[in-house]
Every structure is written in C-alpha cells, then in structure tokens.
Amino acid sequence: MLGKIKTPVVAVLCCVGLGAGVAGCDGDAMDNWDPFAPSSPTSGAAAISGTEKITVAGRSVNVSCSGEPAKDRPVVVLLHGGGDGLDKMAALQRTLSAKDRVCSYDRLGAGASDQPDGPQDFAGTGRILTGVLDRVAGDHPVVLAGHSLGGLIAARYAPDHQDRVKGLVLLDATPPTMTNDIEKAIPETAEGPAGELRAQNLAIFQGRNPEKLVVADGEVRSAGDIPVEVVRHGKPYLEALPEYGPRLERAWAAGQRKWLALSSRGRLSTAADSGHYIYVDQPDVAARAIDRVTAEAARQATQGG
C-alpha cells in the first residue's frame, strides 16, 4: 500500500505512470468485463456549457466544456492523468478557453463519473472517449492534450481515429513500454523502496488502479501527418530513487522520444522547471504547446492537409 511507504520519493513514484493522485496502489479485485455497447447518436444535442453529466454506453460520464468554437479551429479535449480528474485541469481549461472551445471529462473510475463494471483496456477507454467526442465536438476535428496516463490514452486512440484527431499534445505522457521499462530499470531482486516501487507499479499496470485499466505495453503506431508536441519534465525527480533512479530517468526520457513516431510532424521539448505535472508547474508551457498544435491543425485543414 502506498500509504505504508515513508520514503517521499516512492510516494511520488508509486503512481508515476498514472499520476500522483492515486489514493492507494492495491486497487480493487478484477470482475468479469462486459464490452461497452455503442453510444447512442447525440448529434442534435445542445452544446455543453459548464459541467454536465452525459450518458455514454449506458454509463454516466462527467464532462466540462467552456469557450466558444473558433472559426476553422479544432475543439481541444483535455485528458487527465491517473488518480486525477477534470478538476485538476480546470485552470488550464480556463486559460485555453479564452481562444478555443475546450472540454475535459472524468474517465470511468475517476472524478464524478461512474465506476467501471470490471477491468478496462484501451479499446474500452477509447469507446468512452469516442462517445464523449460525439457529444462535445460532433463533426468538428479535435486536438487531444493528455497528461501522464491521459497522454498514453490519447496516443493509443489517435492512430485509429485519424478522421477526427488532428493534433496531439503529450504532457509527460506515460511511455508506451512502461512495464518493460520498469522491469529493466529495477531488477526483481531489488529490495527496499525500489523493490516496493517495482511491485506497486507493475500491479498498477495490471489493472489495480481506480480506473481498473490494464495498461499494456505496445508499439507506437502512426497517427498520420498531424502536429504532435511531446513535452517532458525537466526536473529529474526520478533520480531521487536510491540506486535505480538514474535508470528510471533515462527510461522515461527514452519513452518520450518514442512518442515522436506518432507523426513526421512531431516535436519534443523539455519544461525545464517542471516535475511530472507540467501544466501545474509551468502552465504557460502547456498552454503554448496546445495553442501551437491547435493552430497548426487549423492551418492543415485550411490547406487541405
């Protein structure tokens, strides 16, 4: 259990791939999973203003939208990290909504949304995301901006939805091969904080997290020729883990570079003064990255690709 660990760095790192807000690392027991039913058509629904609960595949999903649609610019959709909710990104949403239509939502098992019936996978979270986009964006293109686990989900979703996703911003996103990275960086024989960290993270990625999401490693697939900005943390906080910290820091940096394979228009930058929560530590860096990608996506649409 996270609460039993006294070393501060382990308390931070226990949920490094999912966000530091997870209350515990033992999770709930997995139940039999029921595939999501298709979401019902919502093209005629009124635009959401403020926070509202919508029904997607029979589940209640908490959604927040603000700002007016800008001519020829995509709708921006924010995806929070694991253990967080849309409220964590409220300040960023408020900043961005001065120029664009911006929405966020709580995934199943997070914030004010329903709990999942059982274990989830990326296909299941993708179906919920599709239902949310149907409601908040309709036929408009979108830019997905995700932090940590939210970035991983966005990056897994985009290749299969190139007709809709026209830009990506990954804010210290969970690397695509995080389980393998941890297993290589921290040997099974490790003891103390490192050993506990290894066991806890592997359990988290196997589905013992609030969203019951099994976070499987996978190859980075192309999302087309869309603008992609990958922003990694600049403060090497992972190095604080005794003995194995530098390995983890190098693995994380390598994982950020892997995301550039999403597009030939990918760009990697470092938020020099930020830890894992870039949009909190340096909100201007996050906002500028999202604005650049949104503007570039709008230009591509105007020019026909």
Side-chain angles (χ1 to χ4, degrees), residues 86-134:
L86 63 80
D87 59 316
K88 184 84 174 182
M89 307 189 88
L92 177 62
Q93 179 171 326
R94 188 161 50 249
T95 297
L96 295 170
S97 63
K99 181 182 291 187
D100 291 301
R101 175 77 166 164
V102 187
C103 297
S104 57
Y105 73 106
D106 291 327
R107 294 187 296 274
L108 296 186
S113 290
D114 279 352
Q115 294 297 309
D117 289 329
Q120 299 193 83
D121 57 14
F122 287 127
T125 60
R127 284 189 282 272
I128 293 295
L129 176 53
T130 293
V132 170
L133 296 182
D134 287 344

Side-chain angles (χ1 to χ4, degrees), residues 191-252:
E191 299 179 350
E196 291 190 40
L197 172 64
R198 184 185 195 274
Q200 289 168 341
N201 270 273
L202 294 181
I204 287 170
F205 296 130
Q206 289 165 4
R208 297 180 67 180
N209 56 73
E211 298 177 40
K212 298 182 181 178
L213 176 63
V214 178
V215 184
D217 285 356
E219 295 295 322
V220 178
R221 295 179 297 130
S222 173
D225 201 21
I226 64 173
V228 173
E229 291 224 14
V230 179
V231 188
R232 67 174 296 265
H233 66 259
K235 290 184 176 179
Y237 68 92
L238 297 173
E239 290 185 358
L241 182 71
E243 189 173 355
Y244 302 105
R247 291 187 193 174
L248 279 177
E249 193 67 57
R250 288 194 296 271
W252 188 272

Side-chain angles (χ1 to χ4, degrees), residues 37-272:
S39 56
S40 55
T42 55
S43 57
I48 295 172
S49 180
T51 303
E52 181 179 320
K53 290 189 177 181
I54 65 173
T55 300
V56 179
R59 310 314 303 270
S60 177
V61 178
N62 193 44
V63 175
S64 173
C65 289
S66 52
E68 297 298 324
K71 187 179 184 336
D72 298 325
R73 284 173 70 94
V75 174
V76 176
V77 178
L78 306 176
L79 286 79
H80 61 77
D84 296 328
L86 63 80
D87 59 316
K88 184 84 174 182
M89 307 189 88
L92 177 62
Q93 179 171 326
R94 188 161 50 249
T95 297
L96 295 170
S97 63
K99 181 182 291 187
D100 291 301
R101 175 77 166 164
V102 187
C103 297
S104 57
Y105 73 106
D106 291 327
R107 294 187 296 274
L108 296 186
S113 290
D114 279 352
Q115 294 297 309
D117 289 329
Q120 299 193 83
D121 57 14
F122 287 127
T125 60
R127 284 189 282 272
I128 293 295
L129 176 53
T130 293
V132 170
L133 296 182
D134 287 344
R135 182 66 175 82
V136 303
D139 295 331
H140 294 283
V142 299
V143 165
L144 300 180
H147 167 250
S148 195
L149 176 61
L152 174 60
I153 291 171
R156 293 289 188 224
Y157 182 85
D160 294 324
H161 299 85
Q162 297 180 37
D163 59 327
R164 168 174 264 170
V165 180
K166 301 303 180 182
L168 284 171
V169 179
L170 307 182
L171 301 171
D172 222 34
T174 303
T177 55
M178 191 66 186
T179 295
N180 185 60
D181 293 345
I182 290 174
E183 290 176 337
K184 284 187 174 181
I186 306 176
E188 192 174 0
T189 55
E191 299 179 350
E196 291 190 40
L197 172 64
R198 184 185 195 274
Q200 289 168 341
N201 270 273
L202 294 181
I204 287 170
F205 296 130
Q206 289 165 4
R208 297 180 67 180
N209 56 73
E211 298 177 40
K212 298 182 181 178
L213 176 63
V214 178
V215 184
D217 285 356
E219 295 295 322
V220 178
R221 295 179 297 130
S222 173
D225 201 21
I226 64 173
V228 173
E229 291 224 14
V230 179
V231 188
R232 67 174 296 265
H233 66 259
K235 290 184 176 179
Y237 68 92
L238 297 173
E239 290 185 358
L241 182 71
E243 189 173 355
Y244 302 105
R247 291 187 193 174
L248 279 177
E249 193 67 57
R250 288 194 296 271
W252 188 272
Q256 302 307 294
R257 291 191 295 273
K258 289 177 183 177
W259 286 129
L260 294 176
L262 282 161
S263 171
S264 60
R265 297 190 184 187
R267 176 177 181 267
L268 174 65
S269 62
T270 300

